[in-house]
């Protein structure tokens, strides 16, 4: 199976995720397939093509990816997940470098909060920009945010680089499937929408989910062009029979639905963004 990636995605990190998970059959790299929409459309049209995409977190899906999956060709689905640690560094031509910092789209996505906390105001460039062009743009005293394996010769890690830190990055394998296969406990992403939006319509659907016995770990709504809202959710299922029971109940109640992801062995995964809420006093 050939594998591709989104243009703005880090080829190095996506390749590590795919390699660690055993999705790669060789070391030829990942094909650049364009935007998220283009990637999913291309995967939907070629049977032996898959793609590696960052998913956010199994318990907290990336909203843009959820939307793109629901709008993708029939059968396009995430079928596996893999986690790797980020490996971004802040480097310059000397430890005293003080020019502006150049960072690509993948680096900005993964490091923007830490860069802001460090007081760094980076210059954003396309992920496809060659390293030589980034160095030229940064200038003689400029700096780069770049992955460890891509640090150019002569550049050294800067004080404060350790603040970028290593953190888990979740990637998924997207393929075209004819039928969802659940052969072991799995994390499921599901989109659904009542045919007619009315007061209490969500209550009835959530009741169906509770009747089957699923405990939602994610639930989000989004408006649609024709009126009724679509809902995105995630839950853990032990076997296909449980999911089939839910989908059968949805069909009997005219609730449109589509499975967006089946992640085997990814259950009860702790969410690093978990809150410690302070509720309003009674």
């Amino acid at each position: 199976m050939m594998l591709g990636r989104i243009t703005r995605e880090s080829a190095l990190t996506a390749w590590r995720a795919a390699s660690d998970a055993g999705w790669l059959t060789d070391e030829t790299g990942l094909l650049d397939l364009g935007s998220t929409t283009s990637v999913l459309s291309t995967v939907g049209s070629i049977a032996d093509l898959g793609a590696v995409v960052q998913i956010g977190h199994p318990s907290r899906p990336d909203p843009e990816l959820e939307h793109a999956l629901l709008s993708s060709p029939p059968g396009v689905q995430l079928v596996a997940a893999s986690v790797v640690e980020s490996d971004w560094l802040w480097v310059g031509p000397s430890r005293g470098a003080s020019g502006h910092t150049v960072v690509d789209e993948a680096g900005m996505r993964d490091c923007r909060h830490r860069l802001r906390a460090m007081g760094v105001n980076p210059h954003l460039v396309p992920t496809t920009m060659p390293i030589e062009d980034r160095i030229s743009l940064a200038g003689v005293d400029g700096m780069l945010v770049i992955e460890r394996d891509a640090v150019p010769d002569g550049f050294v890690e800067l004080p404060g680089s350790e603040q970028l830190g290593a953190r888990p990055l979740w990637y998924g394998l997207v393929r075209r499937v004819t039928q969802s296969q659940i052969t072991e406990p799995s994390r499921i992403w599901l989109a659904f929408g009542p045919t007619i939006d009315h007061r209490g319509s969500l209550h009835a659907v959530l009741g169906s989910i509770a009747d089957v016995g699923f405990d939602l770990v994610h639930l989000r709504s989004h408006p649609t062009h024709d009126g009724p809202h679509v809902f995105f959710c995630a839950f853990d299922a032990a076997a296909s029979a449980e999911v089939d029971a839910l989908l059968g109940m949805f069909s009997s109640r005219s609730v449109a639905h589509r499975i967006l992801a089946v992640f085997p062995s990814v259950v009860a995964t702790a969410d690093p963004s978990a809150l410690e809420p302070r509720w309003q006093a009674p």
Side-chain angles (χ1 to χ4, degrees), residues 25-240:
T25 56
D26 53 47
E27 298 185 5
T28 57
L30 303 175
L31 302 172
D32 183 345
L33 299 179
S35 67
T36 301
T37 301
S38 297
V39 166
L40 298 181
S41 177
T42 303
V43 168
S45 63
I46 302 176
D48 292 328
L49 178 66
V52 182
V53 298
Q54 195 172 130
I55 65 173
H57 189 276
S59 300
R60 184 174 29 87
D62 178 89
E64 178 185 338
L65 180 58
E66 282 184 315
H67 299 168
L69 285 166
L70 187 56
S71 300
S72 67
V76 173
Q77 185 181 112
L78 287 160
V79 298
S82 173
V83 62
V84 295
E85 286 195 340
S86 62
D87 202 13
W88 295 99
L89 300 178
W90 190 31
V91 301
S94 70
R95 287 181 62 82
S98 59
H100 67 278
T101 298
V102 173
V103 59
D104 66 19
E105 296 159 293
M108 180 67 83
R109 179 199 60 205
D110 295 343
C111 303
R112 64 186 183 277
H113 299 305
R114 289 178 173 84
L115 290 173
R116 186 179 299 116
M118 293 163 60
V120 176
N121 186 23
H123 185 132
L124 180 64
V125 299
T127 302
T128 53
M129 177 178 280
I131 302 299
E132 295 77 11
D133 293 347
R134 301 186 197 190
I135 295 173
S136 178
L137 180 63
V140 294
D141 201 31
M143 300 165 285
L144 307 175
V145 171
I146 198 163
E147 289 164 294
R148 186 179 303 275
D149 290 344
V151 174
D153 291 340
F155 276 64
V156 296
E157 192 169 353
L158 300 174
S161 174
E162 69 281 355
Q163 295 183 49
L164 297 182
R167 69 182 186 90
L169 299 175
W170 283 89
Y171 285 81
L173 173 62
V174 63
R175 296 190 62 183
R176 189 181 75 192
V177 300
T178 55
Q179 185 176 1
S180 299
Q181 299 293 326
I182 304 172
T183 58
E184 59 183 287
S186 303
R187 173 65 50 85
I188 311 297
W189 290 2
L190 177 70
F192 63 88
T195 304
I196 301 176
D197 231 354
H198 59 82
R199 187 181 298 274
S201 58
L202 176 59
H203 180 271
V205 176
L206 293 181
S208 300
I209 296 174
D211 289 344
V212 177
F214 291 133
D215 183 18
L216 296 183
V217 297
H218 165 66
L219 178 64
R220 187 176 64 84
S221 69
H222 199 84
T224 60
H225 290 298
D226 57 359
H229 279 66
V230 62
F231 296 90
F232 299 92
C233 71
F235 55 87
D236 294 329
S240 290

